[in-house]
């Protein structure tokens, strides 16, 4: 177990460094390494300014953004599938991603602000607002019945999608139309150091909370009543985990839009190797999610150069067939 | 060991438990009987601390269940439900180790104590060789025995069984209740089959419309009059080798 985590962590570091070298401008691993150590103040080697800029300002934040988003989505998905006892659950189940698109489009169309920061802020606010509406709509009974939360999430997602379409058509603004594509299919093109500066700490904090409850999550295997009879404070644990993962997802969506299938599939794929024990699953799924999204995003930005595919399109192209396979295997087992 | 005093529990439309008072002495197996909807499951959930009683108190070994923290309650009492199902790819050992959840000493690894308790629990249900079998490959009877092992791994002072033999054939019903008896743990078991109850229980408590209508040793309680009253069945009751045996008659047209 420890060995696997060490290998995956090494693989993640290697993936970051290698993915940074891939792109239209040819860079070597050595150059990448020098730029990073220069900026960390460990070396003061001579690197051309343009290359320094490409590595430090463009590619590295994007690759790290992919790692953070992939890790966060995979971990949130694993937790959501367990606490809702629904193998089809993903981090967007509670309306968070649709709320984010609505928030971003509203900021654009209503002219509430300009620039990336305003958009990100709008998306984050929209995501949180959507989650708040879901919680309110589910009502007090929600503690007892996760299905109600899920249904409320689906309803609110539909509502947000309808409102988003309405705003776009009403505003007839080409920027808004372009923007909605970004939020719906996801892209890491906007990941920068500022975004990483708040996403990474949130990821670390939420992941620590999730890990703390790893054993409690295992107790959900036979349902929440069984978990309660095993001494887990089911209502409290479930709310804490739903709220923290929704918060994390809101942060991720604000950076990257809704990247589908990572949160749905990675947990299932990881369980094939780790088994269902969350003490093994969580550390591995988080590293696998990071590595997976780094490489899918690298493919998305380079496969059809100079055009860039939205990374969500590529995760879906890879994800849907893999998911169908998974479904067929489940049928086979049953 | 278990004392239930004046416990009531209502939903807006109905009073499901109406001032229930009964007790389970240490070391006994007490059967909780009554027709569907009589309040057996509700009473077990109140006793397990899964729902708080509307009024009245439940004490286990002298402590009020409503005031016990969840994990402390789960170290005292283990619940075996009618039916356990999971999509997850668990091994038998994983399932039994779940019983160690309330005892966790470490958040990360299973201690030697946990592993020893799990091995012991498997042995107590005659499933020592099953540790690495997958849950999905086990039969209904094996699954319930395994859940009993999980409950025993909790090292409870009180076992609560909610109609645990409902989905089992007669051979597995007898085996499961025999294993419960053999474990020696004080048990309160909701049961449907009155002959099984008469065979295995030291005492029975009969619920009807949320009230206790009779309690005591099966021989004295399970009379034709009570069966007619509570279950609306016509039955002959005989005693064979010291056990009550109930024979039902076809309902009169």
């Amino acid at each position: 177990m420890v060995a696997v985590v060490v290998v995956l962590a090494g693989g993640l570091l290697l993936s970051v460094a290698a993915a940074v070298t891939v792109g239209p401008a040819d860079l070597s691993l050595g150059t990448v390494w020098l730029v990073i150590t220069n900026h960390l103040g460990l070396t003061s080697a001579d690197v051309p300014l343009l290359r320094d800029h490409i590595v430090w300002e463009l590619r590295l934040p994007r690759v790290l953004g992919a790692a953070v988003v992939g890790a966060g989505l995979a971990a949130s998905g694993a937790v959501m599938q367990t606490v809702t006892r629904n193998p089809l659950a993903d981090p967007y189940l509670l309306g968070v991603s649709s709320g984010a698109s609505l928030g971003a489009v509203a900021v654009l169309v209503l002219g509430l602000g300009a620039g990336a920061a305003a958009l990100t802020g709008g998306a984050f606010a929209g995501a949180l607002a959507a989650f708040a509406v879901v919680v309110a709509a589910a009502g007090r009974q929600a503690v007892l019945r996760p299905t109600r939360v899920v249904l409320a999430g689906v309803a609110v997602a539909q509502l947000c999608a309808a409102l988003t379409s309405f705003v776009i058509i009403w505003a007839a603004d080409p920027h808004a139309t372009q923007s909605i594509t970004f939020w719906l299919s996801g892209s890491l093109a906007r990941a920068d150091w500022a975004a990483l500066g708040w996403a990474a700490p949130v990821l670390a904090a939420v992941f620590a909370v999730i890990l703390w409850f790893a054993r409690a999550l295992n107790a959900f295997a036979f349902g929440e009543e069984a978990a309660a009879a095993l001494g887990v404070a089911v209502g409290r644990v479930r709310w804490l985990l739903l709220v923290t993962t929704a918060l994390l997802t809101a942060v991720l969506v604000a950076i990257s839009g809704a990247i589908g299938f990572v949160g749905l599939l990675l947990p299932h794929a990881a369980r094939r190797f780790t088994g269902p024990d969350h003490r093994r699953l969580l550390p591995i799924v988080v590293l696998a999610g990071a590595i997976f999204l780094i490489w899918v995003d690298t493919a998305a930005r380079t496969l059809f150069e100079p055009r860039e595919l939205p990374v969500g399109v590529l995760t879906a192209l890879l994800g849907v067939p893999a998911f169908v396979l998974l479904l067929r295997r489940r049928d086979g087992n049953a | 060991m278990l004392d239930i005093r004046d416990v009531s529990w209502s939903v807006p439309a109905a009073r499901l438990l109406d001032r229930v008072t009964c007790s389970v002495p240490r070391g006994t197996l007490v059967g909780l009987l009554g027709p569907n909807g009589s309040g057996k499951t509700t009473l077990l959930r109140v006793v397990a601390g899964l729902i708080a009683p509307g009024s009245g108190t439940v004490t286990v070994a002298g402590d009020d269940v409503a005031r016990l923290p969840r994990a402390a309650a789960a170290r005292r009492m283990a619940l075996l439900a009618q039916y356990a199902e999971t999509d997850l790819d668990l091994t038998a050992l994983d399932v039994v180790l779940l019983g160690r959840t309330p005892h966790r000493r470490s958040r990360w690894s299973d201690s030697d104590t946990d592993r020893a308790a799990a091995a012991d629990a498997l042995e107590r249900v005659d499933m020592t060789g099953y540790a690495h079998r997958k849950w999905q490959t086990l039969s209904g009877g094996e699954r319930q025995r395994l859940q009993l092992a999980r409950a025993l791994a909790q090292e409870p002072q009180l076992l609560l069984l909610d109609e645990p033999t409902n989905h089992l054939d007669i051979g597995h019903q007898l085996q499961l209740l025999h294993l419960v008896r053999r474990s020696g743990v004080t048990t309160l078991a909701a049961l449907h089959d009155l002959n099984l109850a008469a065979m295995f229980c030291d005492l029975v408590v009969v619920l009807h419309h949320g009230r206790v209508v009779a309690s005591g040793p099966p021989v004295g309680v399970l009379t034709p009059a009570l069966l007619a009253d509570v279950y609306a069945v016509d039955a002959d009751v005989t005693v064979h080798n010291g056990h009550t045996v109930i024979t039902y008659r076809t309902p009169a047209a």
Side-chain angles (χ1 to χ4, degrees), chain A residues 1-14 283-284 287 291:
Chain A
M1 166 68 193
V2 176
V4 178
V5 170
V6 169
V7 167
L8 277 176
L12 176 59
L13 284 181
L14 211 64
I284 284 172
L287 290 169
I291 295 172

Side-chain angles (χ1 to χ4, degrees), chain A residues 85 87 211-212 215-216 218-219 221-222 225 228-232 276 279 330, chain B residues 45 50 70-71 74 85-87 89-90 98 102 106-108 110 135 147 154:
Chain A
R85 287 197 87 212
L211 267 186
W212 181 257
R215 223 173 162 156
N218 287 347
F222 288 95
E225 185 125 315
L230 287 172
V232 176
R279 290 170 294 177
R330 282 181 63 87
Chain B
R45 296 179 74 216
L50 298 177
R70 275 253 44 93
E85 192 42 271
T86 183
D87 277 341
D89 198 22
L90 297 165
L98 284 179
S106 150
R107 285 186 176 270
W108 302 114
D110 303 309
W135 168 264
Q147 287 292 341
Q154 279 176 255

Side-chain angles (χ1 to χ4, degrees), chain A residues 7-61:
Chain A
V7 167
L8 277 176
L12 176 59
L13 284 181
L14 211 64
S15 294
V16 169
V20 170
T21 65
V22 180
D26 257 339
L27 296 168
S28 68
L29 261 181
T31 314
V32 171
W33 185 246
L34 274 182
V35 170
I36 293 173
T37 49
N38 274 354
H39 279 270
L40 294 178
L42 299 174
T43 53
S44 47
D46 211 13
V47 179
L49 205 56
L50 181 63
R51 304 206 146 194
D52 179 272
H53 181 80
I54 290 174
V55 170
W56 191 254
E57 296 301 331
L58 297 179
R59 290 199 196 158
L60 189 59

Side-chain angles (χ1 to χ4, degrees), chain A residues 159-179:
Chain A
L159 179 71
C160 289
L163 286 174
T164 306
S165 301
F166 176 76
V167 169
I168 286 179
I169 289 167
W170 176 64
D173 176 345
H175 286 298
T177 315
Q178 203 183 351
S179 164

Side-chain angles (χ1 to χ4, degrees), chain A residues 58-201:
Chain A
L58 297 179
R59 290 199 196 158
L60 189 59
R62 175 157 185 166
V63 169
L64 290 177
V68 167
V69 171
L73 289 178
S76 299
V79 170
M80 287 287 292
Q81 286 167 6
T82 299
V83 294
T84 64
R85 287 197 87 212
N86 181 350
L88 300 180
D90 79 359
Y92 305 133
L93 196 65
L94 301 181
V96 172
S97 62
S98 331
S101 335
L102 181 58
V105 172
V107 164
L108 256 181
V109 170
L110 302 176
L112 293 177
L119 272 185
T120 308
F124 183 63
L128 284 190
F131 182 63
V133 174
V134 168
V135 170
R140 281 193 304 144
Q141 286 279 308
V143 180
L144 303 171
R145 294 175 196 182
T147 344
R148 286 177 64 123
V149 185
V150 173
L151 283 176
V154 172
V156 169
Q158 298 276 353
L159 179 71
C160 289
L163 286 174
T164 306
S165 301
F166 176 76
V167 169
I168 286 179
I169 289 167
W170 176 64
D173 176 345
H175 286 298
T177 315
Q178 203 183 351
S179 164
I180 187 66
T181 316
F182 173 88
W183 296 105
L184 290 184
S185 47
S187 164
L188 287 152
R190 302 158 51 109
D192 56 16
W193 287 112
L196 280 170
W198 50 300

Side-chain angles (χ1 to χ4, degrees), chain B residues 207-231:
Chain B
L207 287 180
H208 191 37
H209 296 313
R211 287 182 203 180
V212 177
V213 291
S215 62
V219 176
V221 170
L222 298 175
T223 60
L226 179 112
L227 297 178
D229 247 22
V230 173
Y231 288 92

